Amino acid sequence: MGASLSHLSSEPTKDKIDPIAVDLRANQEGVGTARTVGYWHHFGDEKTRVEGWVVREIPLVIFVNGQEWVTLMCSPHQLSSLVVGFLFCERVISTTDDIAYMRVCEETGEAEVKLNSNIVLPTRRVLSSGCGGGVGFKSSPEDMPRLNCDLTVESAQVIALARALVQAANVHRLCGGTHMSALSDGEKILVLAEDIGRHNTLDRIKGECML
């Protein structure tokens, strides 16, 4: 579920969101996830100059064992979860025990990861179907391990959880421009992630669960 810049030309949301709380939370995590800018708001035949919130993004360069490996375009918050989840989903690590040292600097947009072993990093890039043309290193979904789970949910539960996801995604409700994903046990949301990249949200959830 994502929103684009069309949000800037649509009718403002009626939900009451505290932008100070959102930006404060973002800055406690690192660089602010959203910022205010001036833009023209169009509604019908009316045009008004306003100040509003827009989502931020940064390039995050990941170094593994001293080698520059990949640059991710992402939202600037909770980057440790994103890095760990990305490393797992690209099969560079299998557990956090594979990591000897990790340093993430949100100000410079760099993540340095030292593994407990020397590995050959994957280099065969696969262009994903994401609207931004995301790149991964997995050759196919079949390369990922299958889930062994007997959990079943009713359609009504899925609808209720989707609504809960939208309500809990504060940055998206504030300014749009982010994708949202969540992990649930069928009754409630356990982990929620927002990012400008839809694939990043899944990596964030996996990393959050591993840390």
Side-chain angles (χ1 to χ4, degrees):
M1 301 178 185
S4 65
L5 289 179
S6 61
H7 174 86
L8 299 183
S9 59
S10 63
E11 186 176 6
T13 177
K14 297 179 181 179
D15 292 333
K16 298 297 183 181
I17 307 170
D18 184 356
I20 297 178
V22 172
D23 199 49
L24 226 101
R25 184 196 66 183
N27 279 288
Q28 286 172 348
E29 296 166 348
V31 182
T33 305
R35 63 188 178 95
T36 55
V37 298
Y39 61 88
W40 289 101
H41 180 269
H42 294 265
F43 185 69
D45 296 330
E46 297 181 2
K47 182 176 72 172
T48 308
R49 183 69 176 177
V50 297
E51 292 285 326
W53 291 83
V54 295
V55 69
R56 296 184 66 248
E57 66 176 329
I58 63 167
L60 177 65
V61 185
I62 300 178
F63 295 83
V64 179
N65 289 346
Q67 175 184 344
E68 181 177 338
W69 180 41
V70 68
T71 299
L72 304 179
M73 296 304 300
C74 61
S75 298
H77 67 279
Q78 296 177 305
L79 296 180
S80 295
S81 297
L82 174 60
V83 172
V84 171
F86 183 79
L87 291 174
F88 175 85
C89 291
E90 298 300 335
R91 307 192 73 177
V92 174
I93 64 172
S94 56
T95 72
T96 53
D97 291 337
D98 296 332
I99 300 175
Y101 167 84
M102 182 173 71
R103 180 185 66 87
V104 179
C105 181
E106 298 178 0
E107 291 184 357
T108 62
E110 293 180 345
E112 178 185 354
V113 182
K114 175 66 176 177
L115 303 179
N116 284 315
S117 61
N118 294 321
I119 68 167
V120 178
L121 295 172
T123 58
R124 182 184 177 186
R125 302 193 176 193
V126 178
L127 186 65
S128 72
S129 59
C131 56
V135 174
F137 297 94
K138 298 183 293 292
S139 58
S140 70
E142 286 71 25
D143 291 339
M144 297 300 292
R146 292 185 177 274
L147 294 177
N148 294 316
C149 180
D150 56 3
L151 175 67
T152 59
V153 294
E154 301 293 333
S155 58
Q157 291 176 278
V158 175
I159 294 173
L161 288 167
R163 290 172 177 165
L165 170 60
V166 173
Q167 289 299 311
N170 289 329
V171 177
H172 186 272
R173 292 178 61 218
L174 175 66
C175 58
T178 60
H179 294 276
M180 305 164 285
S181 297
L183 177 67
S184 171
D185 58 4
E187 299 296 333
K188 61 183 179 298
I189 291 178
L190 303 176
V191 182
L192 181 145
E194 292 185 80
D195 199 285
I196 60 160
R198 68 184 68 181
H199 298 86
N200 291 349
T201 62
L202 301 179
D203 291 338
R204 286 178 180 277
I205 289 176
K206 182 59 185 179
E208 185 71 18
C209 292
M210 295 176 68
L211 290 175

